[in-house]
Amino acid sequence: MATAAAAAAAAAAAAAMAPPGCPGSCPNFAVVCSFLERYGPLLDLPELPFPELERVLQAPPPDIGNGEVPKELVELHLKLMRKIGKSVTADRWEKYLIKICQEFNSTWAWEMEKKGYLEMSVECKLALLKYLCECQFDDNLKFKNIINEEDADTMRLQPIGRDKDGLMYWYQLDQDHNVRMYIEEQDDQDGSSWKCIVRNRNELAETLALLKAQIDPVLLKNSSQQEDSSRESPTLEDEETKKDEETPKQEASKENEKTGADERSVDSGKCSAASALEEPAVKTEKADEKELAKLPVIVKLEKPLPETE
């Protein structure tokens, strides 16, 4: 969690590095970039990375560009107007844009008619682009039918976090891996607190280091302990895998116990059968002994007895 002073210092440093009138410092720039990233492929819009979109929105110096609007920006406006049913030609696209602008902001329409699109302020150009992007949700029927099937939460870019001072942090990454990070007060309605604090990877690393330095060591320690415990604690998948591994072992042990019991029952059956066969023999021997005891005893004398006796 960063303090307000740290966030303000980072925003001030980023603002100092940004050129005056930079489109990237406007909240509408982030809105347009988010729309192009989210729905550009669906609408077949030209791909414009962050630096390229900033470049074409800025008015070029008088000696560069021959006073013409960059063709990438012209193509973007043409496609957005044609998608909402406007029959626009490339040579008269500014006049069509003035008509659309009259419905949106008559002051800007008058300024464009007098000065031309190229001399308009960056804020006006971005507001017009944002308006054309928002018109797609109402006037582009094909696009509207597709969008109606989506979840509303997935359509809007969400902040990546908040700090204890109420500042919200927004992060964007384009197709060329250019980064932008913005901060805004939580209840900002007019975009007055909106600031771009990260414009490249070096500034992103510095901002992350600054945020980490402001984290309470106790909270940081608790967070690391929770991560370690989450790594050590078994997950539901681990438990299921363990059960799956133990089930064959338990079944095998049950089979072994059953086999051992069957073998013991067979051995006991053999023993009982053998004892059953031995009992009659023992009885027969005892009966023979009794019969011998009943027979008369014959004594053979070694010497004849005297007659007198």
Side-chain angles (χ1 to χ4, degrees), residues 31-101:
V31 176
V32 172
C33 288
S34 179
F35 181 88
L36 295 179
E37 188 274 331
R38 182 70 176 81
Y39 301 112
L42 182 61
L43 295 170
D44 192 26
L45 299 177
E47 294 184 359
L48 290 172
F50 299 151
E52 184 68 11
L53 184 59
E54 286 182 342
R55 182 188 66 81
V56 297
L57 284 170
Q58 288 177 324
D63 57 340
I64 299 178
N66 299 322
E68 296 180 357
V69 181
K71 61 180 182 179
E72 299 91 346
L73 198 58
V74 175
E75 184 183 359
L76 178 61
H77 283 84
L78 282 173
K79 287 199 171 184
L80 286 173
M81 287 188 287
R82 287 170 178 170
K83 292 291 183 181
I84 57 176
K86 306 297 182 182
S87 301
V88 188
T89 58
D91 57 337
R92 296 176 59 85
W93 73 276
E94 282 194 52
K95 293 187 178 298
Y96 282 95
L97 187 60
I98 291 173
K99 292 181 180 180
I100 294 175
C101 190

Side-chain angles (χ1 to χ4, degrees), residues 31-307:
V31 176
V32 172
C33 288
S34 179
F35 181 88
L36 295 179
E37 188 274 331
R38 182 70 176 81
Y39 301 112
L42 182 61
L43 295 170
D44 192 26
L45 299 177
E47 294 184 359
L48 290 172
F50 299 151
E52 184 68 11
L53 184 59
E54 286 182 342
R55 182 188 66 81
V56 297
L57 284 170
Q58 288 177 324
D63 57 340
I64 299 178
N66 299 322
E68 296 180 357
V69 181
K71 61 180 182 179
E72 299 91 346
L73 198 58
V74 175
E75 184 183 359
L76 178 61
H77 283 84
L78 282 173
K79 287 199 171 184
L80 286 173
M81 287 188 287
R82 287 170 178 170
K83 292 291 183 181
I84 57 176
K86 306 297 182 182
S87 301
V88 188
T89 58
D91 57 337
R92 296 176 59 85
W93 73 276
E94 282 194 52
K95 293 187 178 298
Y96 282 95
L97 187 60
I98 291 173
K99 292 181 180 180
I100 294 175
C101 190
Q102 287 174 350
E103 304 171 0
F104 175 56
N105 190 312
S106 58
T107 303
W108 292 354
W110 178 84
E111 182 180 354
M112 190 190 309
E113 192 172 2
K114 295 297 181 182
K115 296 181 180 180
Y117 180 86
L118 198 63
E119 298 298 327
M120 290 182 68
S121 65
V122 171
E123 290 78 12
C124 292
K125 293 177 182 177
L126 282 170
L128 278 172
L129 263 181
K130 178 188 174 185
Y131 177 72
L132 289 177
C133 292
E134 291 174 343
C135 287
Q136 306 301 317
F137 295 100
D138 297 325
D139 301 330
N140 188 341
L141 298 180
K142 182 179 178 181
F143 177 74
K144 185 178 179 180
N145 292 332
I146 297 174
I147 294 303
N148 286 338
E149 298 179 359
E150 293 190 4
D151 188 6
D153 293 335
T154 62
M155 297 172 60
R156 187 180 297 274
L157 182 66
Q158 299 296 331
I160 60 172
R162 296 176 175 85
D163 63 20
K164 63 181 180 181
D165 298 311
L167 289 175
M168 295 189 300
Y169 290 75
W170 305 79
Y171 176 79
Q172 286 184 323
L173 183 71
D174 66 9
Q175 62 270 22
D176 291 345
H177 303 288
N178 297 297
V179 296
R180 292 290 187 274
M181 184 180 286
Y182 311 92
I183 58 172
E184 180 189 27
E185 291 181 2
Q186 194 163 356
D187 298 325
D188 187 6
Q189 299 295 331
D190 56 359
S192 58
S193 64
W194 182 273
K195 293 181 179 65
C196 179
I197 61 173
V198 168
R199 298 174 57 83
N200 52 56
R201 293 181 178 273
N202 292 333
E203 293 178 5
L204 179 61
E206 294 173 359
T207 302
L208 291 177
L210 181 62
L211 292 174
K212 288 181 179 179
Q214 299 298 328
I215 296 177
D216 189 349
V218 177
L219 296 177
L220 189 61
K221 183 178 179 181
N222 293 338
S223 176
S224 62
Q225 288 178 353
Q226 290 178 359
E227 290 179 359
D228 294 339
S229 62
S230 63
R231 293 193 194 100
E232 294 175 358
S233 59
T235 61
L236 182 60
E237 294 179 357
D238 296 337
E239 292 292 338
E240 292 179 354
T241 304
K242 186 177 180 182
K243 288 181 181 179
D244 295 338
E245 292 177 353
E246 289 180 352
T247 301
K249 295 180 181 179
Q250 293 176 354
E251 293 178 355
S253 61
K254 288 181 180 179
E255 289 293 333
N256 294 335
E257 292 177 358
K258 184 177 179 181
T259 305
D262 295 339
E263 291 177 354
R264 286 194 295 271
S265 61
V266 172
D267 294 339
S268 61
K270 291 179 181 179
C271 294
S272 60
S275 59
L277 292 174
E278 290 175 357
E279 284 180 0
V282 173
K283 290 180 180 179
T284 305
E285 290 178 356
K286 291 182 178 179
D288 294 340
E289 290 178 355
K290 289 180 180 180
E291 293 296 331
L292 290 173
K294 293 179 181 180
L295 294 175
V297 181
I298 300 174
V299 181
K300 184 178 179 181
L301 299 177
E302 295 293 335
K303 294 181 180 181
L305 294 175
E307 293 180 359

